[in-house]
Amino acid sequence: MDSQTGAGATSGRTPDFDHMSVHELKSWLTNHGVDLTGEDQPYHQQQQQPPSITKQPASAAAAGVTWRSLLASAVGKLLTNLWPLLLVHLVSDGLTFGLHRVSHRLTNEAAVRLLAGIGITPAAIGNMWWLSSDPALANFRTGYQFLTIAVFLLAFPLNVLLKATASIYTVFICEGDVGKEVQRPWWQAPGALRAALPLVRGLSGRVGAVWRRALLVELLVAIIVVPLQFTSLAVVTLPFTLPFLLDLQAAGTAAVLEGVGGIAAIKRSRQLIKPIRWKLAVPFVGIVVAQHVMNSAKGFLLGNLPPRYYLELVEIPAAIAVLGTLATLLLTRLQDVLPYTAYTAAAALEGAQGPGGGGTRELPAAEQQPQPKPV
């Protein structure tokens, strides 16, 4: 019977499965294209066993974070989301400019009323919408500087609120690459800005949900950063102040994306940035230096052009002014995007190292190198 069954299994006749041995059944199934790999495992293990994983040293991931990659990532985000970012910061910078004019006017009005006895008049100040730069007037002896500081402190929370709001929009724009829907050439700038408006408005709900937390973080960061920036003006102090400035770069993004607030956001930023601190330093300092170089070059060129250029060849000084302003504008927007790209790079590095910071990361089986099977 067994020999007949075996012959029937290999012939064209329908086999008698009831009388087949296990070995004969496997042979028949294999001959008919059925893959029996793993048939010795229990069914629940075959269905639910997770893909094998392997660990890779985190040094491989850390090596991928360089100052070039951080700068390239920031440039890429800026170019992809150029029009929404320009729109957001155009509004923010415009409101900030208006706030400064109002605060300067309040300072001058207060000086005229409170310090009139020492000769401070509108004529002495000049333009009442701008702070006086006359050293005989703008000093602590006259009291003008005290009024300037007082009004500055009153307007400080509003300045930070405008900056925080623009920073939140920047994070959400870069996170979702909103600008992909508005890819227009520069000569279509008005239409591109109009097309970006509904996209930016669509983010207002998310911004409204986090602005209080982000504002508190921005206030804390500003309180720390402003003295550090003044201290950094003395170049010899830069090696001491720069690490603190760099460690704060991811605080706002962490507050928006991770939901941490207050001091916790500052600690989280330091935790993330510390492994890439000096790699971040290159684009961070480089952008600041480039801004100063661009402004100085523009001022030097405009100040040293022959007078006849302003009368006969006005296109040349106009081109220098426009191109210099646009270059400075793009560098400033790049500076706005850099904290987000630093956060994402640092968070990816942290993820590569694993939650315990053990310096390894797990790869799915599809990314593994094939391993020889034991003999």
Side-chain angles (χ1 to χ4, degrees):
M1 175 68 67
D2 289 343
S3 61
Q4 294 175 358
T5 305
T10 57
S11 66
R13 299 190 303 273
T14 303
D16 186 359
F17 293 111
D18 293 337
H19 296 86
M20 275 188 181
S21 66
V22 174
H23 175 72
E24 290 171 338
L25 180 60
K26 288 183 178 180
S27 298
W28 189 90
L29 292 172
T30 302
N31 291 337
H32 285 76
V34 179
D35 184 9
L36 299 178
T37 304
E39 81 285 356
D40 293 330
Q41 297 180 0
Y43 176 77
H44 70 279
Q45 292 184 9
Q46 296 180 34
Q47 299 297 319
Q48 300 178 9
Q49 184 177 8
S52 58
I53 56 176
T54 188
K55 292 186 176 181
Q56 176 173 311
S59 57
V65 181
T66 65
W67 70 265
R68 291 183 180 86
S69 67
L70 290 172
L71 181 59
S73 178
V75 171
K77 284 293 180 183
L78 175 61
L79 295 179
T80 300
N81 302 286
L82 180 62
W83 299 115
L85 289 172
L86 287 179
L87 177 62
V88 166
H89 289 278
L90 178 65
V91 174
S92 175
D93 292 347
L95 292 175
T96 301
F97 178 82
L99 179 61
H100 288 171
R101 301 286 68 75
V102 172
S103 62
H104 289 188
R105 184 63 187 248
L106 289 176
T107 301
N108 290 329
E109 292 289 349
V112 169
R113 284 164 173 74
L114 299 177
L115 307 176
I118 58 174
I120 296 182
T121 63
I125 294 174
N127 189 341
M128 293 287 285
W129 293 100
W130 297 84
L131 292 177
S132 174
S133 58
D134 183 359
L137 175 63
N139 57 63
F140 288 100
R141 182 170 48 84
T142 61
Y144 187 84
Q145 289 292 70
F146 288 111
L147 285 176
T148 302
I149 294 173
V151 176
F152 168 79
L153 292 176
L154 289 174
F156 183 71
L158 291 177
N159 278 292
V160 175
L161 175 60
L162 292 173
K163 182 179 183 301
T165 303
S167 298
I168 299 169
Y169 273 104
T170 298
V171 169
F172 286 142
I173 288 171
C174 291
E175 182 192 31
D177 280 337
V178 174
K180 285 184 176 180
E181 300 183 35
V182 191
Q183 296 296 314
R184 305 280 184 89
W186 60 268
W187 59 84
Q188 296 180 7
L193 293 174
R194 284 195 300 270
L197 182 57
L199 301 176
V200 173
R201 283 178 175 172
L203 299 173
S204 58
R206 299 179 66 189
V207 173
V210 301
W211 75 269
R212 291 179 179 84
R213 179 172 63 247
L215 174 60
L216 176 59
V217 172
E218 286 290 346
L219 280 171
L220 292 174
V221 170
I223 291 172
I224 300 172
V225 165
V226 171
L228 289 175
Q229 287 178 331
F230 279 108
T231 307
S232 300
L233 294 177
V235 180
V236 292
T237 63
L238 192 59
F240 304 100
T241 58
L242 183 59
F244 293 100
L245 290 171
L246 293 171
D247 286 351
L248 294 170
Q249 291 303 298
T253 308
V256 173
L257 296 182
E258 297 187 13
V260 291
I263 299 298
I266 294 176
K267 292 181 178 178
R268 175 62 175 153
S269 177
R270 185 176 186 276
Q271 177 189 12
L272 286 169
I273 296 299
K274 188 176 180 181
I276 64 168
R277 178 189 293 157
W278 298 113
K279 297 172 183 178
L280 175 60
V282 177
F284 180 84
V285 175
I287 292 172
V288 174
V289 171
Q291 287 174 317
H292 286 288
V293 170
M294 188 60 62
N295 286 327
S296 299
K298 183 179 71 172
F300 176 81
L301 291 174
L302 292 176
N304 288 274
L305 287 175
R308 69 182 187 87
Y309 277 50
Y310 291 94
L311 299 174
E312 303 172 5
L313 299 171
V314 69
E315 300 87 355
I316 294 179
I320 294 174
V322 170
L323 292 177
T325 301
L326 287 177
T328 303
L329 176 65
L330 292 176
L331 287 171
T332 304
R333 297 292 76 85
L334 187 63
Q335 191 177 39
D336 296 325
V337 171
L338 185 62
Y340 173 82
T341 56
Y343 168 87
T344 54
L349 178 59
E350 182 186 64
Q353 293 176 342
T360 60
R361 71 184 180 101
E362 295 181 343
L363 293 176
E367 299 182 21
Q368 299 177 26
Q369 296 294 330
Q371 300 295 328
K373 294 182 179 181
V375 181

